[in-house]
Amino acid sequence: MINANRNILFTATVLAICVILFVHVFLFPLYAVNPNHETLKTFMDFEKSLCSSNYIKQKKVWRKQQCPRYGVVTTMQGGRLGNQMWEYASVWAVARRTGLEPYIPRCIRIKLDQVFDSLTVPTFEEIAHCPVDMSRFVKSLDAWNYTYQSIVLPRYSVQPEIVLTWVQDIIQEFTFKTKLINKSQTILRLVAKNNINQVFVGVHVRRTDYVGYLWRKYSVLPANVSFYYAAMKYYEEKYQNVTFIVVSDDPAWCIKKFNNKNNVFITSKKVPNPPSLDLAILAACNHSIIDYGTFGVWGAILAGGETIFYNISHHSTVRLGQILPNWHTLA
Ligand SMILES: *[C@@H]1O[C@H](CO)[C@@H](O)[C@H](O)[C@H]1NC(C)=O
Ligand SMILES: *[C@@H]1O[C@H](CO)[C@@H](O)[C@H](O)[C@H]1NC(C)=O
Ligand SMILES: *[C@@H]1O[C@H](CO)[C@@H](O)[C@H](O)[C@H]1NC(C)=O
Ligand SMILES: *[C@@H]1O[C@H](CO)[C@@H](O)[C@H](O)[C@H]1NC(C)=O
Ligand SMILES: *[C@@H]1O[C@H](CO)[C@@H](O)[C@H](O)[C@H]1NC(C)=O
Ligand SMILES: *[C@@H]1O[C@H](CO)[C@@H](O)[C@H](O)[C@H]1NC(C)=O
């Protein structure tokens, strides 16, 4: 009697295990193939996938804008201030060119809002609740040919040909916060000892990690001190009272190389300035000398004066030099 019960129990257990295994092995995969609501993504999920850093958690209150009828244009986040300015500007400009609605990931917008006062491209917060159709995305303007398609630009994208079509407008878009303008003007006035006939030339000296990048990507050495001296000489011959404002990620190198020039002022000598202030200082200058790198490039674009740049074949700065009439190298 007891044995018979045991046998029944055993058989039932084995049967139960078989049924569970059957369901798991043969039936669950079928469920997984069918799309369910969890695989439908919103723009909020999509935005998160674009951000590489400082992603801020979704606020509970959404604005619930109408969902986009046509495609949108946006970008992935990469790099520091200069790169993210290009990413923002590229979205802004590609939207103008195509008529698509521009949206910027909040991780980029939050960073730029600390520096600029009148950015106009909205974030995904506006359409966070809307479904996103990833099959409609292409990765460049060249691949786009249809208003229902969306464009997601890759990180680090630099698109001077489109952005600089509206150079005065992008300068307007990147209007510095009043606090930064005041600080940079105060610094320039102090340096010039209130001499009003001063011409300020912003100099950007990019070194540290860029030295290795130049070698890996272009097989070239960084600009040596002869480049900066020759460019300074050009402005000294052109204007009577010139002051050079040097901004660098390696101020120690600059102190060593420029210490015999009494018209050179190096920012961040003792305490490093925030990058936003250094950029505002470059932008407040009348003319520019830049070597390479997006930070110096933006400083020169926003200064809007004559710009001398370092010639590296195939570097994006050379492309800018072909577009902007007051940009040139030293022959
Ligand atoms: C859109 O562009 C792709 C190339 O990116 C091309 O293969 C396709 O034929 C184009 N479609 C139309 C409708 O022009
Ligand atoms: C900037 O300077 C102006 C005049 O010098 C002053 O009125 C204004 O309050 C300052 N703004 C900020 C944010 O520092
Ligand atoms: C140059 O600066 C000096 C003072 O540093 C001033 O006396 C002179 O007038 C300035 N020259 C011009 C052309 O602005
Ligand atoms: C700087 O580099 C140039 C080549 O780009 C070279 O002709 C020059 O001698 C170098 N100057 C110094 C001081 O090393
Ligand atoms: C040169 O820059 C200074 C500082 O921003 C500015 O006050 C001055 O008006 C500029 N000069 C010219 C000729 O634009
Ligand atoms: C840069 O240098 C290359 C060769 O070294 C030259 O052909 C080209 O014209 C230069 N570009 C500019 C903008 O000076």
Side-chain angles (χ1 to χ4, degrees), residues 185 188 196 198-200 283-286:
Q185 288 297 338
L188 292 190
I196 49 162
Q198 206 57 232
V199 171
F200 296 102
C285 290
N286 307 109

Side-chain angles (χ1 to χ4, degrees), residues 7-62:
N7 279 344
I8 289 167
L9 198 65
F10 178 75
T11 310
T13 308
V14 168
L15 267 176
I17 288 169
C18 286
V19 167
I20 289 166
L21 278 177
F22 177 79
V23 167
H24 270 87
V25 174
F26 296 102
L27 292 184
F28 277 5
L30 292 181
Y31 297 151
V33 173
N34 289 331
N36 60 32
H37 287 288
E38 276 159 23
T39 60
L40 266 186
K41 289 183 116 195
T42 62
F43 275 103
M44 187 183 106
D45 307 318
F46 177 56
E47 179 188 55
K48 197 177 271 179
S49 75
L50 301 174
C51 289
S52 65
S53 72
N54 55 30
Y55 184 75
I56 301 294
K57 240 180 114 58
Q58 180 66 35
K59 275 193 234 147
K60 280 290 174 280
V61 185
W62 297 335

Side-chain angles (χ1 to χ4, degrees), residues 309 311 313 318 329:
F309 63 94
N311 183 6
S313 296
V318 175
T329 58

Side-chain angles (χ1 to χ4, degrees), residues 46-100:
F46 177 56
E47 179 188 55
K48 197 177 271 179
S49 75
L50 301 174
C51 289
S52 65
S53 72
N54 55 30
Y55 184 75
I56 301 294
K57 240 180 114 58
Q58 180 66 35
K59 275 193 234 147
K60 280 290 174 280
V61 185
W62 297 335
R63 265 169 239 172
K64 296 260 180 197
Q65 272 257 114
Q66 241 188 356
C67 292
R69 280 188 63 203
Y70 302 106
V72 302
V73 50
T74 189
T75 179
M76 297 188 74
Q77 179 192 37
R80 287 177 281 182
L81 182 56
N83 282 113
Q84 293 189 41
M85 287 172 73
W86 273 120
E87 287 156 5
Y88 178 97
S90 300
V91 168
W92 172 89
V94 169
R96 271 200 174 190
R97 176 65 55 85
T98 57
L100 297 178

Side-chain angles (χ1 to χ4, degrees), residues 165-274:
T165 308
W166 302 283
V167 61
Q168 285 313 316
D169 292 346
I170 197 64
I171 291 173
Q172 189 74 30
E173 186 78 15
F174 288 135
T175 300
F176 286 92
K177 287 182 148 334
T178 315
K179 208 172 75 183
L180 286 169
I181 293 176
N182 281 10
K183 270 195 187 172
S184 56
Q185 288 297 338
T186 305
I187 289 166
L188 292 190
R189 271 203 309 275
L190 275 171
V191 170
K193 304 188 178 70
N194 287 317
N195 174 10
I196 49 162
N197 288 317
Q198 206 57 232
V199 171
F200 296 102
V201 176
V203 184
H204 190 239
V205 178
R206 182 77 163 87
R207 293 187 62 79
T208 63
D209 56 323
Y210 215 87
V211 172
Y213 170 77
L214 282 175
W215 185 250
R216 284 194 307 275
K217 176 116 193 243
Y218 301 99
S219 303
V220 294
L221 293 170
N224 63 27
V225 74
S226 310
F227 164 72
Y228 305 101
Y229 270 67
M232 286 174 179
K233 186 157 166 275
Y234 171 90
Y235 286 116
E236 283 166 342
E237 283 170 0
K238 191 160 178 177
Y239 304 107
Q240 216 159 5
N241 285 338
V242 192
T243 298
F244 299 101
I245 311 289
V246 175
V247 167
S248 180
D249 55 346
D250 188 357
W253 188 87
C254 299
I255 292 166
K256 206 164 77 193
K257 300 293 181 183
F258 301 123
N259 80 31
N260 58 340
K261 284 188 74 70
N262 60 10
N263 58 352
V264 169
F265 173 84
I266 298 161
T267 71
S268 297
K269 240 179 185 163
K270 296 191 185 83
V271 189
N273 279 345

